Amino acid sequence: GAGVSQSPSNKVTEKGKDVELRCDPISGHTALYWYRQSLGQGLEFLIYFQGNSAPDKSGLPSDRFSAERTGGSVSTLTIQRTQQEDSAVYLCASSLVRGGSDTQYFGPGTRLTVL
Amino acid sequence: AQRVTQPEKLLSVFKGAPVELKCNYSYSGSPELFWYVQYSRQRLQLLLRHISRESIKGFTADLNKGETSFHLKKPFAQEEDSAMYYCALVNFGNEKLTFGTGTRLTIIP
């Protein structure tokens, strides 16, 4: 079956522009996670969805970042007024049931470059 | 606050030699720890979790609560073990998975 997919795979944008990153989780997975992978920084947790709700948004780096999930499936991560420090690989993962302890299946990532 | 530390950014080991990737953590509760791996041009994937007490691809990891460590070990390295390895810890309160900064393992033929 299909794994987690993300689009676009690469995005180059100018500073100040808004970007939308999309994640399609594995069908039937109720939990969805967003991470950011910066050079030398490891993986930074951004947000977690259980169904369509996000119990904890404290991982989002600033109020320029927002995320939503509709229909318990697709999620979009939106970055407004992008800055150069937003350049990173954004990873999405999903798991069958609630909980960070459940195996997370990762997508291929979206590489964002802000010029 | 929970924290995962992987002190080695890079580790090179000869084929056939033992491998140990270090991971230390800080967490106020009872921890659940994982190792995730990313092979070249592949997705990040789960390697093993401490509660399973299993060996995957010859790798094992033992949780040592006294030393707050969860080191990943393999007695005889193989070339296909070359990859980026991340240690991770879950916070059951908010389901947040905290990753270390990763160790790039290179197996020298």
Side-chain angles (χ1 to χ4, degrees), chain A residues 28-99:
Chain A
H29 280 196
T30 62
L32 186 147
Y33 311 81
W34 283 99
Y35 297 90
R36 180 167 68 174
Q37 188 175 32
S38 306
L39 195 62
Q41 299 294 317
L43 280 88
E44 176 188 9
F45 171 87
L46 298 180
I47 193 168
Y48 151 70
F49 285 92
Q50 178 57 38
N52 291 334
S53 64
D56 182 359
K57 299 183 180 181
S58 62
L60 295 175
S62 75
D63 58 8
R64 296 186 293 105
F65 287 72
S66 62
E68 64 174 16
R69 188 180 185 195
T70 55
S73 181
V74 171
S75 175
T76 55
L77 177 70
T78 302
I79 309 173
Q80 295 178 308
R81 305 181 303 281
T82 51
Q83 303 294 312
Q84 288 182 332
E85 61 261 28
D86 299 334
S87 296
V89 176
Y90 289 82
L91 292 174
C92 175
S94 70
S95 64
L96 183 60
V97 295
R98 171 196 175 133

